[in-house]
Amino acid sequence: MSQKVLLSSKEINVILHRLACQLIENHLDFNDTVLVGIQQGGVFLADRLAKMLSEMYDIHNLKVGYLDITFYRDDFRRSGKPLEANSTKIDFLVDDKNVVFIDDVLYTGRSIRAALTAIQSFGRPKNVELLTLIDRRFSRHLPIQPTYRGRQVDVINQEKVIVHWEENNGEDAIYLVNR
């Protein structure tokens, strides 16, 4: 199994600043906007963006939640191993709000389809957008595209994108792994 670095810590930081600025351009004060990190990888990205928006861009009324989609996926019964659900933490309604789903890697689009179903338990959003750090553009099974993308990569089916976060893996890096 070989791996190569797609993005270093410095490159990830530059991309996060760009994504934060794009969010500010479209949502200004975030009064009607909520960020929802999709478990698991999207949570680290959502937290990092929220911290950046708060500390560097003076956005303080930001609502951030975490959404577990485990049992909303169309393939959750296909796995031979028992599933372990993550936690959902959304302590606000999404009625008439702009919801920005945040995920680390957009691959087939099935996770986002599941998130669209799961978010309905918390109200009816006015608008839903998608922010993703890595867009694997030639792998889509569903017609889902990101509103905000960090980096678009062409990855063949035998390759996998692995995202490491300082908070979880001790480093910020994104790898392309050949299985």
Side-chain angles (χ1 to χ4, degrees), residues 63-86:
K63 290 184 176 67
V64 181
Y66 310 141
L67 183 63
D68 178 52
I69 59 166
T70 303
F71 299 110
Y72 292 93
R73 293 185 57 92
D74 59 2
D75 60 355
F76 84 91
R77 288 188 180 98
R78 293 183 182 189
S79 176
K81 59 184 178 183
L83 293 176
E84 292 184 30
N86 295 293

Side-chain angles (χ1 to χ4, degrees), residues 83-97:
L83 293 176
E84 292 184 30
N86 295 293
S87 62
T88 291
K89 180 188 161 249
I90 298 179
D91 55 2
F92 47 83
L93 293 175
V94 299
D95 281 324
D96 295 319
K97 298 286 185 192

Side-chain angles (χ1 to χ4, degrees), residues 4-73:
K4 88 174 195 185
V5 176
L6 273 179
L7 293 173
S8 67
S9 175
K10 185 176 182 179
E11 292 168 313
I12 291 170
N13 196 42
V14 168
I15 288 171
L16 292 180
H17 278 281
R18 178 174 47 81
L19 291 170
C21 288
Q22 289 175 345
L23 285 170
I24 292 168
E25 278 180 25
N26 290 336
H27 299 282
L28 297 174
D29 60 7
F30 290 84
N31 282 334
D32 293 323
T33 301
V34 297
L35 304 181
V36 177
I38 298 175
Q39 288 281 17
Q40 266 182 318
V43 168
F44 298 109
L45 180 55
D47 284 344
R48 191 74 68 86
L49 282 168
K51 182 178 179 185
M52 189 174 282
L53 287 166
S54 172
E55 292 176 1
M56 297 179 178
Y57 297 102
D58 225 19
I59 308 287
H60 296 293
N61 56 341
L62 192 59
K63 290 184 176 67
V64 181
Y66 310 141
L67 183 63
D68 178 52
I69 59 166
T70 303
F71 299 110
Y72 292 93
R73 293 185 57 92

Side-chain angles (χ1 to χ4, degrees), residues 91-108:
D91 55 2
F92 47 83
L93 293 175
V94 299
D95 281 324
D96 295 319
K97 298 286 185 192
N98 297 307
V99 173
V100 180
F101 283 138
I102 298 176
D103 205 2
D104 55 355
V105 179
L106 176 58
Y107 181 28
T108 63

